[in-house]
Amino acid sequence: MDADLFRRLLRHHAASAVVITAAGAPPAGFTATSFTSVSLDPPLVSFSLSRTASTWRTVERARTVAVHVLGHEHEHIARTFATSGIDRFAAGVAWEPGLDGVPLLHGVPTRLVCRVTERIAAGDHTIVLATPVAGQHADDELAAPLVYHAGRYGTLHHGRNR
């Protein structure tokens, strides 16, 4: 299958938008749609990153990463961390250093701090497996998440009745 067809097919897949950060000099962060839970026992999550990405060298060495699940009001954060050639942390995004210096973004609905357990080469990307060691979330479990679909950001709105 050629790359153009593959890319067009995958545009039909909607995915959650997250920002993944790692400590470094300078710190690294990028927007990802590849984040997923892998296992409950033991707790494991994963994401993938191109080995040609500007953030790869920092993520390759990181022991700890933070995953920030974005809400519908965070499109500007997703766009900032998807932009190449800028200092993403100087672009008006509030953050503070956490465990092992990993940048923790303020005001996101969900945040997981994870220890990297394994890196697996997969084509031109690397799949990173990590164990959550800390996390926090907003009280509203039905808060609208930021999703990425067909090259655009959007959201899901849940009804309040169950």
Side-chain angles (χ1 to χ4, degrees):
M1 178 177 298
D2 74 31
D4 288 336
L5 174 59
F6 188 53
R7 194 172 293 112
R8 282 194 313 272
L9 292 170
L10 291 179
R11 287 175 62 94
H12 292 272
H13 175 74
S16 170
V18 304
V19 167
I20 297 170
T21 59
F30 62 97
T31 300
T33 56
S34 61
F35 174 73
T36 191
S37 62
V38 175
S39 170
L40 290 176
D41 187 18
L44 283 174
V45 297
S46 72
F47 62 90
S48 64
L49 179 62
S50 171
R51 288 187 297 278
T52 61
S54 61
T55 54
W56 169 242
R57 291 289 175 223
T58 302
V59 172
E60 180 182 33
R61 292 187 296 268
R63 289 184 21 198
T64 304
V65 296
V67 179
H68 306 84
V69 179
L70 303 179
H72 72 281
E73 71 277 16
H74 297 117
E75 183 175 338
H76 67 287
I77 294 174
R79 289 189 182 282
T80 296
F81 280 87
T83 302
S84 296
I86 66 166
D87 180 350
R88 296 165 181 152
F89 293 94
V93 177
W95 66 280
E96 65 186 291
L99 180 67
D100 293 334
V102 68
L104 302 177
L105 305 183
H106 293 183
V108 297
T110 302
R111 184 169 64 203
L112 296 96
V113 176
C114 306
R115 292 274 189 213
V116 174
T117 59
E118 193 171 351
R119 293 174 180 86
I120 304 163
D124 60 357
H125 280 58
T126 293
I127 299 167
V128 178
L129 291 171
T131 298
V133 295
Q136 62 186 115
H137 61 85
D139 291 333
D140 186 359
E141 290 183 7
L142 296 180
L146 185 65
V147 296
Y148 191 73
H149 176 257
R152 298 186 328 206
Y153 291 102
T155 191
L156 297 174
H157 292 283
H158 299 284
R160 294 292 174 177
N161 297 331
R162 289 191 180 207

